[in-house]
Amino acid sequence: MDFEEAHGLFIDKHLTERSGERRGRLVRGHNYAEKLFLQNVWWPLFESLDDLHPEYEVYDWNRKSQFLDFAFLPQSGSSLGIECDGFQSHVKDIDRERFNYAVNRDTFLTGMGWKMIHFSVDDLQHRPEVCRMLLQLVLAPYLARKSAGVDILSEEKEVLRLAWRLGRAIRPKDVTTHFSINFRTARRLLQSLSEKGLLKPANLGERVRYYEVNAMRPDQIW
């Protein structure tokens, strides 16, 4: 299935499941920037739109209804809010009151357990590779193969986060230096992440000395 077909089915599904203002908001709100995010960032990485909800309704501290461009809500219960911000509507024409509210809303949602991320429309259009890298960086600590029933430990998440930050193959030495742990423990953590499919050996010698981050699909995330 190509993107256009998947996107059409995605929108039709959510329109069918909604009524009233929630349906109207999807019709009015899912436009150029939102489709651009799916086409240039999400789809090239994952080739699936599962667990994504366009124009997702949330409430602020006054129980005022607001809509996120996207919510990613996997079965694990995690909540990721995604916003696609245009310069004209989000910066140039915004007044102080609306700006303050936007900042407070994100802080409130963070306090309620959401992880909020923002992408600029300019980057979605002209630098989508940057957006893809940043999205994977946000998701990296939560990568796990659900189909294999594998759990990722907290210390493994930190090593995985370090691997993304380095932007190159990671070595046991990198782990020992960063976390002040011994070489044997560092190697064990890297080997464990490799066995779980989250890292892959970067060299083909008898002893693996370098590991690279493996790309994950949505059914392997969270």
Side-chain angles (χ1 to χ4, degrees):
M1 184 184 302
D2 64 14
F3 169 76
E4 290 296 338
E5 182 181 0
H7 181 258
L9 293 173
F10 173 70
I11 296 300
D12 288 344
K13 172 182 180 294
H14 286 278
L15 285 173
T16 300
E17 294 174 349
R18 300 185 186 189
S19 60
E21 176 57 21
R22 293 179 67 246
R23 191 179 193 277
R25 178 63 186 227
L26 178 55
V27 172
R28 299 189 305 271
H30 188 81
N31 295 310
Y32 174 76
E34 292 75 20
K35 184 176 180 181
L36 199 64
F37 165 75
L38 295 179
Q39 185 170 16
N40 286 0
V41 179
W42 193 275
W43 185 262
L45 287 174
F46 306 126
E47 296 185 350
S48 171
L49 303 177
D50 293 345
D51 296 324
L52 274 176
H53 300 262
E55 295 300 321
Y56 186 80
E57 187 175 25
V58 295
Y59 295 91
D60 68 9
W61 55 94
N62 291 318
R63 296 298 297 169
K64 180 180 179 181
S65 175
Q66 296 289 315
F67 289 85
L68 305 177
D69 290 337
F70 295 99
F72 179 52
L73 304 173
Q75 293 181 356
S76 65
S78 301
S79 303
L80 175 68
I82 303 169
E83 294 280 69
C84 307
D85 299 337
F87 178 81
Q88 185 73 17
S89 59
H90 285 80
V91 178
K92 186 177 179 181
D93 294 335
I94 195 170
D95 58 30
R96 288 182 179 272
E97 184 176 354
R98 290 174 60 196
F99 174 77
N100 291 338
Y101 178 82
V103 171
N104 290 336
R105 187 202 67 167
D106 273 18
T107 303
F108 174 78
L109 290 175
T110 299
M112 297 299 291
W114 286 82
K115 180 181 289 290
M116 297 297 299
I117 59 175
H118 293 255
F119 296 105
S120 74
V121 175
D122 285 347
D123 278 347
L124 293 175
Q125 185 173 14
H126 301 296
R127 292 170 291 276
E129 70 283 354
V130 174
C131 300
R132 291 194 292 267
M133 178 273 293
L134 293 173
L135 179 61
Q136 287 188 300
L137 181 61
V138 171
L139 296 180
Y142 308 95
L143 296 175
R145 292 184 178 271
K146 294 192 301 181
S147 61
V150 172
D151 293 325
I152 180 170
L153 305 177
S154 59
E155 60 266 29
E156 293 174 345
K157 289 182 181 180
E158 293 304 317
V159 172
L160 193 59
R161 188 189 295 271
L162 174 62
W164 274 106
R165 285 205 302 264
L166 289 175
R168 56 167 172 79
I170 188 172
R171 307 164 298 172
K173 182 180 179 181
D174 298 318
V175 180
T176 60
T177 301
H178 186 83
F179 297 106
S180 299
I181 59 178
N182 62 53
F183 183 86
R184 180 177 296 180
T185 301
R187 186 172 61 183
R188 174 181 58 79
L189 290 169
L190 291 172
Q191 289 174 342
S192 178
L193 287 168
S194 179
E195 291 168 359
K196 293 177 180 180
L198 303 173
L199 296 177
K200 61 182 179 181
N203 62 300
L204 302 177
E206 293 183 2
R207 174 173 293 184
V208 178
R209 292 184 173 85
Y210 301 89
Y211 295 86
E212 295 176 342
V213 177
N214 239 340
M216 294 287 112
R217 294 174 59 85
D219 61 355
Q220 300 168 324
I221 293 176
W222 305 77

